[in-house]
Amino acid sequence: MAEFALVTGAPALLALVELVHPQPHDLLRLDVRTWLAVHYAQIPLFPLAALGVVRLVRHRAGIAAGVCRAAMFVFGASWTAWDAVAGVATGILASAAQGSGDTQAWRGPVDAIWQHPIMGGGTASVLAVTGAIALSVVTVSAAVALKRAGHSWMPVLLLAIAGFGITIFKTHAWPGGPSTFAGLSIAGAWLLLEPVQPAPSDVAAAPRDAAAGDALAMPRGRR
């Protein structure tokens, strides 16, 4: 039950949060209360959603599963840091600006963060792009590992495609974020609930392993 809640609940909740993510057309005229609430919520939800995908490959070995784990760490770390600065810090400054009576005096400090090449949210900053690419790598590598483990094509393809929503729409507000994280939630639930068919290589290897075990167990005098 806890596993299902993590794998499906965290990305589903994040998808709902992203539905109300304000569009940042002018940071000094934002609905600051909603903006800050969304970005505070994203701080735990980004790594929790990442952990949910990693949970799907917890019993998997191999290169694809290893790439998934490494890339998900990159996503969780980069986007949590990015959200704290580009989202929370700009929201705090915008709130102070709106309460000051002279919002234009705050535009320089707000834009200094928002347009920052590493941490900014108004440009293709390093952390924003790194996290988006890492998420796509995560879902594709997880899909490869899970397909090799015997899962069917449909949930595996949904998982792989879901990771590209933010990259395609270039935003984690609507529609990029909701489509990405809703896709992760649905794919995760599907993968947890469907029976896994053994991979053909595993099925072929089973009789050989059994025969080898019988040979080793046979008394020496009967060989």
Side-chain angles (χ1 to χ4, degrees), residues 198-210:
S201 59
D202 295 337
V203 174
R208 294 197 301 269
D209 293 343

Side-chain angles (χ1 to χ4, degrees), residues 12-185:
L13 183 56
L14 186 51
L16 292 175
V17 168
E18 303 295 24
L19 280 173
V20 297
H21 189 302
Q23 299 289 344
H25 302 301
D26 185 347
L27 293 174
L28 296 179
R29 296 183 179 181
L30 281 173
D31 177 353
V32 176
R33 182 172 297 179
T34 301
W35 176 272
L36 284 173
V38 165
H39 287 87
Y40 282 133
Q42 287 175 166
I43 291 175
L45 287 175
F46 281 145
L48 282 174
L51 186 60
V53 178
V54 171
R55 185 75 178 172
L56 290 172
V57 298
R58 70 191 184 284
H59 296 312
R60 309 302 170 203
I63 294 175
V67 169
C68 174
R69 296 182 184 101
M72 194 50 93
F73 172 79
V74 173
F75 167 75
S78 61
W79 267 40
T80 301
W82 177 57
D83 179 71
V85 175
V88 175
T90 55
I92 291 171
L93 287 177
S95 178
Q98 291 177 7
S100 70
D102 184 10
T103 57
Q104 292 306 313
W106 293 78
R107 188 168 295 279
V110 170
D111 285 346
I113 296 176
W114 190 243
Q115 300 298 331
H116 194 274
I118 296 176
M119 304 294 289
T123 184
S125 63
V126 171
L127 288 187
V129 173
T130 298
I133 293 173
L135 183 59
S136 300
V137 172
V138 164
T139 57
V140 171
S141 57
V144 171
L146 293 167
K147 186 67 186 77
R148 288 176 176 173
H151 283 278
S152 61
W153 274 109
M154 289 301 291
V156 162
L157 285 175
L158 176 58
L159 178 64
I161 293 169
F164 290 87
I166 291 172
T167 301
I168 291 171
F169 293 107
K170 296 181 173 30
T171 179
H172 63 277
W174 171 262
S179 61
T180 291
F181 296 111
L184 292 181
S185 179

